[in-house]
Amino acid sequence: MNYTNYKISWVHLTSRIRQLIVAVLSVTFGISMYIFMNSFMNGVNDAQTEITFTSMSHIKVYNDLPQKSPLFLPHSMMSDTLIMLSNPKRINYTEGIRNVQEVSDILMRDKDVKAVSAQLSENVFFRNGVTKVNGVLYGVNVEDDDRLFHTAQYLTEGDLFQLTKRTDGIVLGTGLADKISAKLEDNISLTTSEGVTRIFKVVGLIETGNAGVDKTKAIISILSARQLLSKNRSYATEILANVSDYNTAPEIAQRIQPFTDYKVEPWQEGNSQLESANVLRDILAVVVSLTILIVAGFGIYNIMNMTVNEKMREIAILKAMGFGGNDIVNIFLTQSLIIGMLGGCVGLFLGYLISAIVDRIPFKIASLTDLPIAYIPTDYFMALFFGLIITFVAGYLPARRASKIDPVDILRG
């Protein structure tokens, strides 16, 4: 009987080719849009994350200084004693990290930490001619910094590794270079908050894609930075680390924290808005995609409903011949699933094709050269899965109604 059911289903489908094509196209459109929307949103999230992590690490270790200075005065045991303090002096707490190598070794002992780099940052003034602006100077170990942030690939001009060869070399953010009208090979002066001034030669220009960073950022070697700020060879303001999966940074930071007295901070702690934006974009993509699939499901439901209405006499004859209600459900459900499979396979290909075409559309903004698309196999699996579920439901409801038809009433009518 099962073979006969499948044969009847196939006859029903092929007898109305135009109707079959419309049903398949509705599933194809829904699944292809599901794939494209999720691929595009995941691509946007990945691009945003990549731009963010060009200047921000997954984990940061730094000296968390107290916000308020306590007053070290003995408390009087007398309840009628009033303590008055005139002209209080703040205690000079130790700033920065004084044992860089030791802390770096602690970080690298964790199996999930992939790269570590010490950094010395300081607010300074940049001058080129009469133009003077403030910005942030980063002293870095060039090889470690490139391993952490892939810094070299974001240089628009010059060579990052010149910083290892000359102590007076400096790399400027493109926005900062524009502000002070500096270009490659220019000499600029740099003044610290302590009034120390030194001349540097521009050996590179960097564009991270983060406009706020590019307008204030400058990079020199960490040895030059320590010399400029009169710090010892084991000093840094922070130690940065990247892990294998940036989403697991809080757990890894929690594991490392007991082994050091410095603050170990995951990126989520100070950038929750980035994580929230990614989640909201993912939710939006799923909602829009599922809505498209549900609309396609209504189309299949209408087609199957019309088919049932058109085949009332055939259904009555089949039931009079001994076909049961389950056989009728099987016939129409098979038609629906065939439509879902055909539309699903074509939709997977079309979704990939649309994504590939969009991925090649020129789109110049920040460090991007085209529209971001992420090809994630899970999206294709979920598209086919949801497509089959919706077509199953859209086919089952009319099939269920057809199975309850009384053949005597139909044949008499």
Side-chain angles (χ1 to χ4, degrees):
M1 187 70 75
N2 284 337
Y3 174 76
T4 304
N5 293 347
Y6 297 145
K7 193 170 182 180
I8 293 171
S9 298
W10 183 249
V11 170
H12 283 178
L13 286 173
T14 54
S15 62
R16 301 292 296 271
I17 294 296
R18 184 176 299 177
Q19 197 176 63
L20 173 64
I21 293 174
V22 171
V24 170
L25 286 178
S26 64
V27 179
T28 298
F29 177 75
I31 288 181
S32 62
M33 286 300 101
Y34 180 96
I35 291 172
F36 169 68
M37 287 293 296
N38 281 277
S39 298
F40 182 64
M41 286 299 181
N42 285 323
V44 171
N45 285 348
D46 291 345
Q48 178 64 44
T49 302
E50 182 181 349
I51 289 173
T52 301
F53 287 132
T54 57
S55 56
M56 183 181 72
S57 62
H58 302 161
I59 292 176
K60 180 170 73 170
V61 181
Y62 63 98
N63 194 345
D64 191 19
L65 299 176
Q67 299 298 315
K68 295 182 179 179
S69 300
L71 300 176
F72 294 99
L73 293 176
H75 292 280
S76 174
M77 300 300 294
M78 305 296 293
S79 59
D80 59 347
T81 301
L82 178 64
I83 298 177
M84 297 184 67
L85 184 65
S86 177
N87 193 23
K89 303 294 184 183
R90 291 188 176 273
I91 296 174
N92 185 21
Y93 286 94
T94 301
E95 297 180 350
I97 297 173
R98 303 285 175 173
N99 51 340
V100 169
Q101 191 58 50
E102 180 183 335
V103 178
S104 298
D105 291 341
I106 291 172
L107 289 168
M108 287 304 298
R109 280 202 294 268
D110 192 286
K111 59 181 174 52
D112 292 316
V113 174
K114 300 304 179 185
V116 173
S117 179
Q119 182 173 276
L120 197 163
S121 59
E122 183 77 10
N123 290 318
V124 298
F125 288 97
F126 300 93
R127 181 190 292 274
N128 184 30
V130 296
T131 308
K132 181 180 179 182
V133 299
N134 66 316
V136 183
L137 180 70
Y138 294 93
V140 302
N141 184 305
V142 178
E143 289 82 4
D144 291 342
D145 192 72
D146 186 56
R147 194 178 302 116
L148 199 72
F149 298 122
H150 307 292
T151 311
Q153 77 179 49
Y154 295 102
L155 257 67
T156 58
E157 295 183 59
D159 180 11
L160 176 70
F161 294 95
Q162 283 290 320
L163 298 179
T164 62
K165 301 174 183 177
R166 48 187 312 164
T167 58
D168 64 339
I170 188 170
V171 173
L172 299 179
T174 52
L176 176 60
D178 290 339
K179 286 166 69 174
I180 61 174
S181 301
K183 58 183 184 299
L184 202 65
E185 300 297 328
D186 279 358
N187 290 321
I188 65 169
S189 69
L190 187 152
T191 305
T192 69
S193 58
E194 301 294 330
V196 178
T197 300
R198 186 175 169 188
I199 303 298
F200 284 86
K201 180 178 285 292
V202 180
V203 297
L205 300 177
I206 185 170
E207 183 178 9
T208 64
N210 188 327
V213 172
D214 293 336
K215 289 179 180 179
T216 59
K217 183 174 184 176
I219 305 172
I220 62 175
S221 73
I222 194 168
L223 296 178
S224 300
R226 286 167 177 162
Q227 184 182 30
L228 178 68
L229 301 172
S230 301
K231 303 295 183 180
N232 62 50
R233 292 179 61 86
S234 62
Y235 178 85
T237 52
E238 57 263 332
I239 297 177
L240 310 176
N242 276 1
V243 297
S244 52
D245 181 3
Y246 63 85
N247 291 312
T248 63
E251 293 81 5
I252 298 171
Q254 193 173 11
R255 285 204 308 260
I256 295 171
Q257 184 62 77
F259 297 100
T260 178
D261 294 329
Y262 297 112
K263 171 71 173 178
V264 182
E265 181 180 272
W267 69 272
Q268 290 95 333
E269 195 167 313
N271 297 273
S272 57
Q273 73 281 0
L274 173 63
E275 190 175 23
S276 300
N278 287 349
V279 172
L280 288 175
R281 280 193 291 267
D282 288 339
I283 292 174
L284 177 63
V286 171
V287 168
V288 172
S289 304
L290 285 179
T291 301
I292 295 172
L293 284 177
I294 291 171
V295 170
F298 277 112
I300 296 172
Y301 172 81
N302 288 333
I303 291 172
M304 296 304 300
N305 212 30
M306 289 171 57
T307 303
V308 169
N309 291 333
E310 292 172 357
K311 304 294 184 183
M312 282 294 187
R313 293 187 66 82
E314 288 87 339
I315 293 170
I317 293 171
L318 288 173
K319 297 194 74 172
M321 292 172 59
F323 283 75
N326 289 336
D327 293 318
I328 302 301
V329 171
N330 183 268
I331 289 170
F332 287 98
L333 201 54
T334 300
Q335 295 179 50
S336 179
L337 290 177
I338 290 175
I339 291 171
M341 285 301 298
L342 289 174
C345 293
V346 178
L348 292 178
F349 173 75
L350 183 61
Y352 173 80
L353 185 62
I354 293 172
S355 300
I357 292 172
V358 171
D359 195 16
R360 287 164 174 77
I361 295 176
F363 184 75
K364 179 60 180 174
I365 182 172
S367 58
L368 299 177
T369 56
D370 47 38
L371 289 173
I373 296 290
Y375 302 94
I376 301 176
T378 306
D379 289 339
Y380 292 78
F381 172 79
M382 295 304 293
L384 185 59
F385 175 75
F386 284 126
L388 290 176
I389 290 293
I390 289 172
T391 52
F392 176 86
V393 174
Y396 177 77
L397 296 177
R400 177 92 175 159
R401 183 169 67 86
S403 69
K404 295 180 179 180
I405 291 174
D406 187 345
V408 176
D409 292 340
I410 297 299
L411 293 175
R412 280 179 179 175

